[in-house]
Amino acid sequence: MLMPAAAGAAELADTDLSPYLPVAGGTFKSVLSGTGLQSEIRVSGFLMRRDPVSQQDFLQFVQKNPQWRRDRIPSLFADKAYLTQWQAADSFGTADPASPVTGISWFAARAYCQSEQARLPRWYEWELAAAADETTTDARASAAWRSRILNWYGQNAQSAHTQQSFPPNVYGLRALHGQIWEWVGDFNALLISPDSRTQGDPDKLQFCGAGAISLQNKENYAILMRVALLSSLTARSTTASMGFRCVRDQKGTP
């Protein structure tokens, strides 16, 4: 599928408004399990953008790449709600420039990341990074951590909160929870089966292609909410609370 090209990769890479911070890899137990997947997987180290892509970041991107403006983007790459929060096709209006941009399709998010010589995170990478709190790399067993995230999710995603309002986790990453939903590169592989009995159903596997996915660690409801949302979307979908951040491969990692 031919997509509109994004210009200015070298320029943006040298002037990132949000630095890329290292996330150590390792063996990681995902909330996902199922046919063709392992519950414990190995994630290589990577670099992740400290903050979600902001209004100002994305405005600069569309100024350099006008084919991604809301009045020019082909319908193949975004639905009608793309960037409708903006005052105009070339202005986010009175929104906080540092607040996360939302209403972005997967295609547009991927193009932006490519312009920063980066890519969208894979689900396992995002899940690994998002499991950390301020002091530990995996806080998912903490009832207090889970409760705090759920409280954040109960707030208005379009509130006045900025990235700085949320404490950085142990990697230095901000706003992985409680502010917006975020695209991942392999979102369309998150095919959920609510009934584990379908795991061995060949018709189900044929329909899903990559195989059905069941969910474990159901106490991590906040993470499962993201899986459910992402699995319901198409690449051209946009929502008022859907943003993204980018990652880069870490040199020297397998």
Side-chain angles (χ1 to χ4, degrees):
M1 179 182 295
L2 182 63
M3 292 179 57
E11 297 175 26
L12 279 174
D14 294 336
T15 59
D16 292 345
L17 298 182
S18 174
Y20 282 75
L21 304 178
V23 177
T27 301
F28 178 65
K29 189 172 184 178
S30 173
V31 300
L32 304 180
S33 66
T35 304
L37 296 175
Q38 298 175 342
S39 59
E40 291 192 2
I41 47 91
R42 173 77 185 180
V43 178
S44 297
F46 57 95
L47 303 173
M48 178 172 269
R49 226 177 182 270
R50 182 189 64 193
D51 301 310
V53 173
S54 72
Q55 306 277 0
Q56 184 63 41
D57 296 339
F58 205 78
L59 175 61
Q60 292 178 354
F61 169 72
V62 297
Q63 287 172 338
K64 290 183 172 70
N65 301 276
Q67 68 271 29
W68 292 101
R69 287 165 48 123
R70 73 182 188 196
D71 58 346
R72 300 185 186 180
I73 188 170
S75 60
L76 182 64
F77 299 127
D79 63 24
K80 293 181 179 179
Y82 175 73
L83 287 177
T84 52
Q85 299 100 314
W86 278 20
Q87 179 177 305
D90 57 356
S91 172
F92 52 76
T94 60
D96 179 357
S99 65
V101 67
T102 57
I104 301 296
S105 69
W106 178 88
F107 288 118
R110 185 175 72 164
Y112 178 95
C113 290
Q114 289 173 343
S115 78
E116 284 197 347
Q117 297 178 322
R119 58 178 172 81
L120 286 169
R122 303 179 185 98
W123 167 257
Y124 288 137
E125 292 171 332
W126 191 94
E127 187 184 2
L128 172 67
D133 65 6
E134 297 92 320
T135 60
T136 182
T137 58
D138 192 349
R140 293 175 300 168
S142 167
W145 180 83
R146 295 196 301 267
S147 177
R148 180 172 59 169
I149 292 174
L150 286 172
N151 287 337
W152 282 344
Y153 283 0
Q155 299 174 8
N156 183 355
Q158 298 304 307
S159 68
H161 289 299
T162 63
Q163 291 94 314
Q164 291 78 5
S165 301
F166 299 89
N169 68 14
V170 71
Y171 302 114
L173 305 171
R174 303 191 292 199
L176 279 161
H177 296 286
Q179 193 172 35
I180 61 170
W181 307 102
E182 297 186 17
W183 281 111
V184 294
D186 54 352
F187 81 97
N188 54 355
L190 304 179
L191 300 168
I192 299 175
S193 170
D195 186 341
S196 62
R197 291 173 297 178
T198 65
Q199 295 301 304
D201 183 346
D203 291 334
K204 177 69 174 179
L205 297 181
Q206 182 178 9
F207 177 79
C208 288
I213 293 177
S214 64
L215 300 175
Q216 60 184 9
N217 297 328
K218 294 179 176 62
E219 66 274 12
N220 286 304
Y221 180 67
I223 302 298
L224 302 183
M225 287 170 61
R226 289 183 179 264
V227 176
L229 173 66
L230 288 167
S231 68
S232 71
L233 301 175
T234 69
R236 63 187 295 272
S237 298
T238 66
T239 78
S241 56
M242 178 64 78
F244 68 100
R245 75 181 74 211
C246 312
V247 300
R248 291 172 177 157
D249 295 322
Q250 197 167 34
K251 293 181 179 179
T253 58

